[in-house]
Amino acid sequence: MATPEFWFVLVTVLFVGYFVLEGFDFGVGMLMPVLGRGARAETTEKRRRVVLNTIGPVWDGNEVWLITAGGVLFAAFPEWYATLFSGFYLPLLLILVALILRICAIEYRGKIDDPVWRRRCDLGIGIGSWVPAVLWGVAFANIVRGVAVDENKKVVSGLLDLLTPYALLGGATTALLFLFHGAVFVALKTSGDVHRDASALAGRLALPATAATGAFALWTQLAHGKTWTWWLVGGAVVALLAAVVAAHAGREGWAFLGTTVTIVGAVVLLFASLFPAVLPSTLDPAWSLTVENASSSAYTLRVMGWATVIVAPVVLGYQAWTYWVFRRRLSVADIPDSIGLAR
């Protein structure tokens, strides 16, 4: 495998990891108002803390995958990075602002013991989860479909040009799939009333998530796919149907495995449909950015390869250890009273 192709595969793997792990983070954030609702105010607060604590030890580590993917894009494919971040400036800026809002809301939610303060933080968590969940689908659908890239490798299309039916379906697909993924994760990580409600909600989310994912995968395959990527479409759909069956049967572990395989198949389908281009031009195919004309020098890629071999096992080992340590289920009984400062 040539070096640029290797780094394209690595970028794919990094985004696969990001969407699998951060996908259930977004789902949990979007579902907090629903799964955190209790009969009394104190019950509601403890339920919301249970839901949030399912991702508490791991959400910031999951974001490392995005940071790493951005760093690899910058170093391995500088032309792709520059064109992508300038042409998709507003959507990516909105994603960044939403992620910062979400980080601040999660970190500071428990610092002040005040219902109004917590409601505002919960709103920040919701916005910071919904916006990226939708816009990542819109962005990647446009990357696969192609945008107006001119001969100077500059995107000349506007924001409204990105809001095509295919892109909007992509945004709906990622949001619904992450909602289902998050509901299954909460059911997997909790017990008691929260577990019961998360399982029931996962069952209700199964149909819309399946419909949107199936429609988007089929559209992608018919418009941009290759012969062999039919296997990815079939695998993703079968895995999602298996997740639906497992969720209805109360087998959260198998359901989570199914949603994970679905996200893996969907992301690989997008990148496989894109290859060997990395950003197709709708103005002239000759102006498209490809793996070859967008990559760094061979020396740069070789140095990056050695750095990856040394650092990657350490990062993966640490993150796996974190998930193992915090593997226990949570319930309302595990949540102590608030120790935040009085407002």
Side-chain angles (χ1 to χ4, degrees):
M1 178 184 292
T3 305
E5 283 76 10
F6 168 80
W7 285 100
F8 181 84
V9 172
L10 183 57
V11 169
T12 304
V13 171
L14 290 171
F15 274 106
V16 164
Y18 175 68
F19 285 126
V20 167
L21 299 176
E22 194 76 333
F24 64 73
D25 286 349
F26 292 147
V28 170
M30 291 187 283
L31 292 173
M32 266 189 67
V34 179
L35 295 178
R37 189 181 300 120
R40 294 175 293 121
E42 56 270 26
T43 307
T44 295
E45 170 55 18
K46 289 201 172 185
R47 282 176 62 110
R48 292 195 175 189
R49 287 172 62 188
V50 168
V51 173
L52 187 58
N53 284 351
T54 60
I55 62 171
V58 298
W59 67 267
D60 48 355
N62 295 342
E63 291 191 345
V64 171
W65 290 79
L66 177 61
I67 297 171
T68 306
V72 170
L73 274 179
F74 176 77
F77 298 101
E79 296 285 357
W80 187 11
Y81 180 92
T83 303
L84 182 65
F85 276 74
S86 59
F88 289 67
Y89 179 80
L90 186 55
L92 294 178
L93 177 63
L94 290 174
I95 290 174
L96 178 61
V97 171
L99 291 176
I100 293 173
L101 177 63
R102 176 171 163 265
I103 290 169
C104 294
I106 292 175
E107 290 290 345
Y108 288 100
R109 186 184 188 279
K111 303 300 182 184
I112 297 178
D113 187 14
D114 178 68
V116 176
W117 171 264
R118 287 193 289 263
R119 283 198 299 270
R120 291 173 180 172
C121 288
D122 290 346
L123 179 61
I125 294 171
I127 294 173
S129 300
W130 275 101
V131 171
V134 173
L135 289 186
W136 276 126
V138 172
F140 270 90
N142 276 288
I143 292 172
V144 173
R145 183 184 69 89
V147 291
V149 179
D150 65 14
E151 68 274 17
N152 297 315
K153 300 179 180 178
K154 179 181 178 181
V155 176
V156 295
S157 55
L159 176 63
L160 293 180
D161 297 322
L162 302 180
L163 302 179
T164 63
Y166 176 68
L168 294 176
L169 178 59
T173 299
T174 49
L176 288 169
L177 189 54
F178 291 164
L179 279 169
F180 185 37
H181 194 43
V184 171
F185 180 76
V186 174
L188 178 66
K189 288 288 295 177
T190 58
S191 59
D193 291 343
V194 177
H195 167 81
R196 185 194 64 243
D197 292 347
S199 297
L201 183 58
R204 293 195 295 270
L205 289 169
L207 180 59
T210 303
T213 303
F216 182 65
L218 184 60
W219 192 339
T220 301
Q221 175 61 35
L222 293 177
H224 310 288
K226 302 171 176 62
T227 302
W228 68 271
T229 53
W230 277 110
W231 290 99
L232 295 173
V233 175
V237 171
V238 169
L240 187 54
L241 292 175
V244 171
V245 173
H248 280 288
R251 304 294 297 273
E252 298 89 11
W254 287 106
F256 185 73
L257 177 61
T259 56
T260 297
V261 172
T262 301
I263 294 174
V264 172
V267 176
V268 174
L269 171 64
L270 292 175
F271 278 90
S273 301
L274 185 63
F275 185 83
V278 292
L279 190 60
S281 173
T282 57
L283 299 178
D284 187 338
W287 296 341
S288 298
L289 296 180
T290 67
V291 169
E292 295 296 334
N293 66 23
S295 66
S296 293
S297 66
Y299 177 76
T300 299
L301 298 180
R302 190 161 56 250
V303 171
M304 287 177 56
W306 283 110
T308 301
V309 168
I310 296 172
V311 175
V314 177
V315 175
L316 291 174
Y318 173 76
Q319 192 163 28
W321 176 79
T322 302
Y323 275 91
W324 174 255
V325 169
F326 295 100
R327 65 189 183 277
R328 190 172 68 86
R329 290 178 182 261
L330 300 172
S331 70
V332 173
D334 298 315
I335 303 299
D337 294 332
S338 175
I339 58 172
L341 298 174
R343 188 166 181 178

